[in-house]
Amino acid sequence: MRLIYKRGKTVKPNKLQFFKKNTMKRLLTTLLFVMFLKLCIAQSISGTYQTEWGEMILQQSGNQVTGTYKHNNGVIKGTLNGRTLVGTWSQSNGKGKVVFEFNDDFSSFTGRWNYNDDEPTKTGWSGKKKLSVNLNLSGTFSTEWGEMYLQQSGNQVTGTYKHNNGVIKGTLNGRTLVGTWSQSNGKGKFKFEFNDDFSAFTGKWDYNDAEPSKDGWNGKKK
């Protein structure tokens, strides 16, 4: 124990002072650790990535990750352990396993993959996250079926268009809007694919419960 010299006398330091100092140090250390932990937890792989197999949209919930990519209607499912995502891929023409290794801030990854149950050894599946700029598709679009007004709230989209008092309702996932249309003379499903800044879309549609396959529903924001 360090002694304190005061006016020629040697005295022992105040135990209460030591206790207060040590307590403050512990509190400060704990606070810094909690802040660091929150920062780490806040990082998420959720977002849109540019890859060799087309644009990929990943969504993280806890340590579970799901996603889609454009090549052959690809689907990703996996588990995140640290910065390593291990899971499966499936497409209209095949399936297999995948491992993605993300960098520190989850802004990019390098991947390995293979077919069926073979361990991932093939390279050539890397991605870089696209910057989020909080774009919104709300606005008026010129389309083949007349002027269309769309309104976005969260990932929900509603709208109207002039042809036969048309009404649109759908859910936005990345830049893909999927939903239903209804008119005074019919109803059905649709799928709109928007460009990067939501200034235009190309669409497919069909009647009743049929999956959208008919072309000819495109729009450009006014």
Side-chain angles (χ1 to χ4, degrees), residues 1-4 11-22:
M1 180 179 291
R2 186 165 60 94
L3 299 180
I4 299 175
V11 297
K12 293 182 179 180
N14 190 314
K15 291 183 178 180
L16 182 59
Q17 289 179 341
F18 271 109
F19 177 77
K20 287 182 177 180
K21 288 181 179 179
N22 289 337

Side-chain angles (χ1 to χ4, degrees), residues 65-174:
V65 177
T66 57
T68 59
Y69 55 97
K70 288 189 175 180
H71 185 71
N72 287 329
N73 299 314
V75 175
I76 289 282
K77 294 181 181 179
T79 301
L80 186 66
N81 184 6
R83 288 179 171 78
T84 302
L85 177 64
V86 178
T88 61
W89 61 269
S90 60
Q91 299 174 176
S92 57
N93 64 338
K95 62 180 181 178
K97 293 183 178 181
V98 67
V99 174
F100 291 162
E101 296 284 353
F102 287 83
N103 64 348
D104 288 344
D105 61 358
F106 293 104
S107 63
S108 64
F109 67 84
T110 56
R112 303 187 308 277
W113 62 280
N114 216 332
Y115 294 104
N116 301 314
D117 293 326
D118 292 341
E119 289 303 308
T121 56
K122 299 180 184 293
T123 57
W125 199 346
S126 305
K128 186 175 182 180
K129 184 179 281 187
K130 299 178 70 174
L131 294 177
S132 175
V133 291
N134 296 320
L135 293 173
N136 190 295
L137 61 75
S138 296
T140 303
F141 294 78
S142 295
T143 82
E144 293 92 334
W145 303 101
E147 193 172 81
M148 175 188 291
Y149 176 72
L150 297 179
Q151 180 65 43
Q152 179 182 346
S153 177
N155 69 338
Q156 298 301 299
V157 177
T158 57
T160 59
Y161 55 97
K162 289 188 176 181
H163 185 72
N164 287 328
N165 300 314
V167 175
I168 287 282
K169 294 181 181 179
T171 300
L172 186 67
N173 184 5

